[in-house]
């Protein structure tokens, strides 16, 4: 039976020592988030995850969700009670505005807590995750009246939310969508169509579900420019907020999936359902894009979350399981065999995951912090710079953290040998669950294309230049320091690979866009390695400062950061050279075959 | 619903044009394997796989195996009939000696057919696969009497076989095993103990099951030097071969696994079961090692097999699914969207899998051919060279083909977007099934250690030097040829990386064995890339010869080989540089942390 302990110390180290969030006390909500408050919240969240959510993870996977003949959906045993506890704990409204019942704390804190929830129980965490998405959409685009009706109910957790984009024939290419919205005399719309892959489309956790639905108003232009966003409540609220009539929306079936089996993935049928336009007509995709950075960051964090929980369980197993002897001679000669953590290849796997997790967490929190600045800073220039950063880094966080996060669950499973293939160990569930973040919220190929095709050239490459300048600035500042050389030296090489790759695109992809498409995945991963390498350099700097200052009982942990950073620089960062070589190979051999040649 | 077509043309191209097996007509069984006979066998095997086995793959996964209260195990619906058809078709005895009822054809042909079986239905294919293992063990170590009793029944498919190595507390480290064998006055033994992860330990496909069991004779030395191999029939045969008394062996439970759910993975309880020593006492591990090359090659082929079937289905989907437009402009402007095979990132995934599959198949068949030579050649020197090759390449084939094969099923699933996560597509089953070959028959970390720690230094590095000389010889022969330069040039670089890595081990690992352990996984993959790169060069050579000779209607396919080889050289082979860098980083940062630092 797998277990989970929230890495609270890791998060507070990143927030306080690496990102030094006390610098942002001028932002709304940040002054309240003192180190003590933050730690108390994280500890409490961790406790809830360890004690309530983690024990429901395997049972939820085994039982799955059930759709009844009348369209009702039942979540696995224990989910209702856990959801109630989460709602009662106020976890849904941590960063939501106080005027709608939230606590107004930094969104960065929500991202940290979301990692814990997803580690403990990814399938469960999707229900509150979608509520956060609906809240963000309403905050950004809802009318005052809509905000007043929906936000308090969503933030308090009494109602839940969903996102309805995909249809059977269109996922990535939303321009093809067919769900129709017929305008009604009272200003509302009648929505008709079928949506698929709707997480939490139906469930038994909340008394109402607020569906956000993309549809095409009758007569709207074809393609992406004719898509609007609608609120479609499962039960229509009366003017006083009480529940009124059942709306024409229902769950037609549940999907049988590889993983996240406790998350109800619904086919949703809209049959003349009453919907309310949110934002401008025909601007629904733009409205979705506003939320997309946050949603994609959240999905990236899911990749990290599964990597973390799989790592923790692999470490426990590697310390307990005894097979063979250390190559350097028996470590515990009185025992029949050494624990397998003595074997270099087991350490290779554990160190690889560890060196990813710690930097990936820093990267996610850094990006989340930029999100807070982009929304909350009073300084327009600061907001813009933060927004640039978020736009640029979001596809990297989503694509790289989910790709590597998945690979890490596979590696952690490998530590278990045959036992990892057995359901009882829980390791195979982590692998199955970790597979979906690579796909949903924009498959990772789309993230790569978003990065290369949209984010790089945006505003004349402003965001990218700023990122390069920051990383190069750090390198220049520390390159003369002998103690920093083993870290900034490799980072400098990796950064130059990224710059060469960027240059190659500039010189080749304008004339032949396929060159950009062919290199996009490698560019995203090259970018991710540079960003993670930069995080490691920042972590090393903070760890060394802490060590100099006495480290407060954390000497061993801080020394461990220096070792792990070395491992990252020596073993993981060198991949940038391969990515560069692939990018510079261009599209020719990739595109040469006719479809019949496959 | 996924489908499968056996790649018969690919196999015959490799056998006839790349490996030119007609050169080996002096070996027993090879003269009979004329191109026409081989093709007819492959076509027939492919038909059986497409029509009988592939349709049972998803249903078998859904239903799984059932253990009844009395210990009987039922395989999924359709398996019994399919097994019967396979037995009636004579597929089990393709390469087995004629004197025991086999057809005596080359083992290479069995490897080709095994790929088809595993593609169509990996779980099913394990039942006959284990029979092949038992046959190999008996041929190598059985007494004449034992051969006479067991081989005809196994080869005809009336009885099945299993391998019993693992116990709850020991898998990799068999020196720890505890199953006991008490000598009896009649020369037999009483076997008592528990074995786990026993594939086909119980089933309803055959009237009897012959278990090969590792156990420790009472009083034998501790560790690996006190292990013996026993035959333990489920039902004891009478002297005339008819079935006698039920033996004291039974299935205690079935494991719930991530995949291969239609393969019965049993906990086997031996309770004073009658067993017969096979081979010498206390030399059981050595007896197992003889079969291990073949078994590991077979598992490597499973990785290829799943990569192939996943690829085929991804190609079909990529040609049918329409989303978005080609970056270079709409390819089918009259349709609402282009098929996704126009997108570079989709092609990147398909080409990556294709470029692996075709070379991996060549590598597997080349190694299988060496196996045939090692067993059948009348020339001792030739036998030794082939045995060297097999020993060296087997861990590479097992480790690399299963690691990359699994990664490829993940990539093929990604082509499907969200639909690949749904069970109905069948893609997620390929991923789950492809995960086990990385683990069983020696986890891939063990393969890497076997390669670096045992196979490299063996006989003063004789096998490795011969391999280097062959690849270098090919490069030297063709490096002046302009048409071959794009292929042999990159191979030369990769080979030099492998040689540098070898040199690094020689200079560093003697003093500190952890350096070898730390680099073993990268070395195995570096070796694999060189071997695959060499295969591509051989394929290119054969394709160019075919093109020069007129190609016989295969011009387009042969030109496709040249393109795919280019893709491999440009996009996949460059990884050798990263592997080398990692190896040269050594063990220091990997081993520095204490166990408590994780």
């Amino acid at each position: 039976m797998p277990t989970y302990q929230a890495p609270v110390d890791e998060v507070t180290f990143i927030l306080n020592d690496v990102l030094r969030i006390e610098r942002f006390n001028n932002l709304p909500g940040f002054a309240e988030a003192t180190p003590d408050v933050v730690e108390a919240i994280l500890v409490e969240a961790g406790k809830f995850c360890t004690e309530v959510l983690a024990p429901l993870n395997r049972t939820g996977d085994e039982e799955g969700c059930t759709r009844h003949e009348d369209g009702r959906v039942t979540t696995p045993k224990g989910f209702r009670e856990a959801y109630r506890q989460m709602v009662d704990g106020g976890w849904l409204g941590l960063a939501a505005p106080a005027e709608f019942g939230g606590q107004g704390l930094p969104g960065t804190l929500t991202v940290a807590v979301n990692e814990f929830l997803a580690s403990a129980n990814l399938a469960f965490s999707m229900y509150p995750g979608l509520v956060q998405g609906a809240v963000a959409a309403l905050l950004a685009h809802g009318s005052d009246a809509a905000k007043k009706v929906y936000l308090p109910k969503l933030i308090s957790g009494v109602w839940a939310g969903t996102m309805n984009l995909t249809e059977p024939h269109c996922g990535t290419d939303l321009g093809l969508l067919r769900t129709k919205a017929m305008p009604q005399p009272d200003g509302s719309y009648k929505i008709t169509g079928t949506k698929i892959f709707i997480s939490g489309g139906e469930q038994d956790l909340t008394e109402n579900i607020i569906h956000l639905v993309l549809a095409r108003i009758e007569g709207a232009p074809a393609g992406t420019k004719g898509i609007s966003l609608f609120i479609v409540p499962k039960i229509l609220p009366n003017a006083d907020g009480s529940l009124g009539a059942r709306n024409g929306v229902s769950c037609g079936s549940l999907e049988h999936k590889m993983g996240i089996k406790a998350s109800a993935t619904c086919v949703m049928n809209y049959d003349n359902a009453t919907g309310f336009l949110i934002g401008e007509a025909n601007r629904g995709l733009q409205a979705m894009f506003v939320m997309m950075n946050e949603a994609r960051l959240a999905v990236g964090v899911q990749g990290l979350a599964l990597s973390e929980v799989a790592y923790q369980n692999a470490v426990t197993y590697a310390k307990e399981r005894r097979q063979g002897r250390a190559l350097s001679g028996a470590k515990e000669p009185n025992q029949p065999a050494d624990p397998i953590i003595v074997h270099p290849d087991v350490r290779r796997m554990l160190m690889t995951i560890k060196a990813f997790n710690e930097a990936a967490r820093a990267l996610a929190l850094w990006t989340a912090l930029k999100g807070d600045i982009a929304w909350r800073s009073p300084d327009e220039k600061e907001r813009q710079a933060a927004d640039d950063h978020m736009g640029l880094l979001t596809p990297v966080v989503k694509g790289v953290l989910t790709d590597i996060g998945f690979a890490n669950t596979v590696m952690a499973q490998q530590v278990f040998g045959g036992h990892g293939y057995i359901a009882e160990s829980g390791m195979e569930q982590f692998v199955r669950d970790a597979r979906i973040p690579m796909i949903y919220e924009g498959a990772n190929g789309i993230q790569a294309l978003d990065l290369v095709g949209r984010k790089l050239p945006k505003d004349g490459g402003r965001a990218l230049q700023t990122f390069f300048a920051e990383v190069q600035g750090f390198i220049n500042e520390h390159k003369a320091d002998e103690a920093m050389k083993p870290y900034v030296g490799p980072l400098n090489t990796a950064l130059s690979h990224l710059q060469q790759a960027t240059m190659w695109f500039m010189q080749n992809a304008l004339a032949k866009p396929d060159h950009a498409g062919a290199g996009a995945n490698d560019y995203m991963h090259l970018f991710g390695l540079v960003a993670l390498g930069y995080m490691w350099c920042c972590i090393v700097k903070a760890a060394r400062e802490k060590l100099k200052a006495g480290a407060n009982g954390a000497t061993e942990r801080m020394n461990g950061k220096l070792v792990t950073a070395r491992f990252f620089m020596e073993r993981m960062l060198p991949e940038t050279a391969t990515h560069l070589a692939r990018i510079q190979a261009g599209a020719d051999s990739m595109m040469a075959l006719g479809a019949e040649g496959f």
Side-chain angles (χ1 to χ4, degrees), chain A:
Chain A
M1 180 81 164
T3 59
Y4 173 67
Q5 293 293 328
V8 172
D9 286 351
E10 290 296 311
V11 172
T12 55
F13 169 66
I14 291 164
L15 294 179
N16 299 328
D17 299 296
V18 180
L19 300 177
R20 296 185 292 119
I21 57 163
E22 87 279 359
R23 292 179 296 164
F24 302 98
N25 277 351
N26 64 318
L27 302 185
F30 274 65
E32 291 75 25
T34 61
D36 286 354
V37 166
V38 166
E39 194 178 345
I41 288 172
L42 293 173
V43 166
E44 205 52 41
K47 217 177 126 190
F48 175 65
C49 288
T50 299
E51 295 174 3
V52 179
L53 294 191
L56 295 176
N57 195 41
R58 269 253 297 145
T59 53
D61 180 67
E62 279 172 351
E63 185 183 340
C65 294
T66 310
R67 180 185 173 278
H68 304 277
E69 271 187 33
D70 58 3
R72 280 182 308 114
V73 169
T74 312
T75 55
K77 200 167 163 243
F79 270 47
R80 279 176 65 90
E81 175 54 24
Y83 200 85
R84 180 59 38 215
Q85 281 183 255
M86 191 185 60
V87 163
D88 291 347
W91 293 110
L92 273 168
L94 216 53
E99 62 173 309
F100 300 114
Q103 299 181 53
L105 288 163
T108 308
L109 200 54
T110 301
V111 171
V113 171
N114 282 351
E115 185 205 322
F116 299 173
L117 298 173
S119 282
N121 196 323
L122 179 63
F124 180 93
S125 77
M126 292 179 66
Y127 296 104
L130 283 150
V131 177
Q132 289 172 357
V135 168
L138 281 157
L139 280 172
H141 301 288
S143 65
D144 286 346
K147 285 180 184 170
K148 229 172 120 179
V149 173
Y150 297 105
L151 283 176
K153 295 284 193 183
L154 288 166
I155 289 168
S156 67
V158 181
W159 295 352
T162 71
M163 299 283 173
N164 291 241
L165 288 75
T166 307
E167 299 181 6
H169 64 290
C170 75
T172 298
D173 188 354
L174 288 170
L176 302 174
L177 79 76
R178 295 178 191 150
T179 297
K180 271 186 199 151
M182 299 282 288
Q184 303 298 306
D186 67 353
S188 71
Y189 292 79
K190 290 290 182 196
I191 312 286
T192 300
T194 300
K195 295 285 181 178
I196 63 169
F197 302 162
I198 309 307
S199 302
E202 185 58 88
Q203 33 82 352
D204 57 354
L205 305 172
T206 58
E207 62 176 38
N208 199 7
I209 303 172
I210 309 307
H211 303 291
L212 296 182
V213 183
L214 288 182
R216 203 180 289 281
I217 297 172
E218 204 194 16
T224 55
K225 288 175 181 152
I227 298 173
S228 306
L229 182 62
F230 298 89
I231 302 178
V232 185
K234 172 181 161 184
I235 302 174
L236 292 161
N238 297 319
D240 65 355
S242 65
L243 296 178
R246 185 73 163 77
N247 204 353
V249 47
S250 61
C251 167
S253 64
L254 293 179
E255 304 287 359
H256 295 99
K257 310 184 300 295
M258 183 183 196
I260 52 164
K261 296 191 183 200
S263 170
T265 305
C266 304
V267 174
M268 296 303 292
N269 297 322
Y270 292 86
D271 185 9
N272 267 316
T274 299
F276 308 99
L277 184 66
I278 164 168
E280 286 177 56
N282 298 338
R283 305 266 304 163
L285 268 197
Q286 285 81 346
M288 294 301 279
F289 275 130
V290 172
M291 298 168 288
M292 228 166 242
N293 280 341
E294 287 175 55
R296 289 180 170 181
L297 172 58
V299 172
V301 169
Q302 293 177 346
L304 161 63
L306 286 162
S307 179
E308 172 67 30
V309 68
Y311 167 79
Q312 290 187 12
N313 286 281
V315 166
T316 303
Y317 189 82
K319 290 178 182 178
E320 286 172 358
R321 175 78 171 175
R322 295 175 178 277
Q323 295 287 282
R325 290 297 185 187
L327 292 175
S328 51
K331 286 280 181 284
E332 302 187 16
N334 297 330
Q335 297 285 342
D338 288 336
I340 61 172
I341 201 167
V342 305
H343 300 308
D345 200 61
V346 171
R347 273 177 180 263
R348 173 185 64 80
M349 297 190 273
L350 296 179
M351 286 295 292
T352 301
I353 309 177
K354 180 180 170 65
F356 167 79
N357 288 354
E358 297 186 13
R361 187 173 293 112
L363 181 59
L365 292 174
W366 183 39
T367 308
L369 180 58
K370 297 285 184 175
D372 272 327
I373 298 168
W375 283 97
R376 302 186 187 200
S377 173
D379 181 320
E380 197 196 319
K381 244 182 106 178
E382 205 175 60
R383 280 205 307 275
Q384 186 196 69
D387 192 58
D388 277 3
H389 175 104
M390 246 217 132
L392 182 68
L393 267 295
T394 294
V396 176
V397 170
K398 198 283 185 181
V400 174
L401 266 57
T402 62
D403 273 359
I404 304 187
F406 171 76
N408 287 351
T409 60
V410 174
M411 233 185 289
Q413 182 190 24
Q414 190 75 12
V415 171
F416 281 68
H419 297 275
Y421 200 67
I422 307 300
E424 203 181 358
S425 72
M427 300 306 287
E428 60 92 33
Q429 184 189 347
F430 296 140
V431 174
R432 288 185 287 105
D433 286 355
R435 186 67 186 85
I436 189 62
M438 296 162 71
I439 299 173
Y440 61 21
E441 204 54 45
N444 286 354
I446 298 299
Q447 304 300 326
L449 214 55
D450 176 49
L451 175 65
V452 167
R454 203 174 301 160
K455 301 300 172 58
L456 289 198
K458 201 175 168 227
D459 304 313
R462 189 177 65 202
L464 185 71
Q465 292 312 322
T466 306
F467 177 81
F468 283 172
E470 173 166 352
V471 179
Q472 193 68 65
F474 186 99
I475 293 167
N476 293 344
E477 194 186 331
H478 297 96
K479 69 182 174 191
D481 182 346
E482 279 301 322
M484 289 298 284
K485 270 187 189 166
Y487 312 102
V488 294
L491 179 62
N492 198 33
T493 305
L495 179 63
S496 98
H497 290 159
L498 182 60
Q499 288 166 330
Q500 288 171 62
T502 311
M503 191 63 76
W504 194 90
F505 281 149
M506 286 169 63
Q507 290 167 342
N508 295 280
L510 273 179
K512 186 169 174 179
D514 276 348
H515 280 321
N521 177 68
D522 280 292
Y523 189 88
M524 177 176 78
H525 279 280
L526 170 47
F527 202 122
L529 284 166
V530 170
L532 293 170
Y534 177 49
M535 289 298 100
W536 266 120
C537 286
C538 295
I539 291 171
V540 165
K541 188 185 167 198
R544 291 184 64 230
E545 280 164 9
K546 244 177 130 70
L547 284 166
K548 251 182 271 172
N552 235 337
T555 306
E556 207 157 331
R557 240 183 86 223
M558 291 305 118
N559 280 324
K561 301 273 177 233
L562 306 187
V563 167
T564 311
R566 277 288 281 269
F567 182 89
F568 182 88
M569 298 299 163
E570 293 173 355
R571 292 251 163 196
M572 295 160 81
L573 205 53
E575 282 174 40
T576 56
T578 302
H579 290 303
L580 177 61
R582 287 204 195 111
I583 290 164
Q584 292 178 336
D588 296 344
S589 66
M590 192 182 285
M591 304 304 285
L593 287 186
E596 68 291 347
F598 287 87

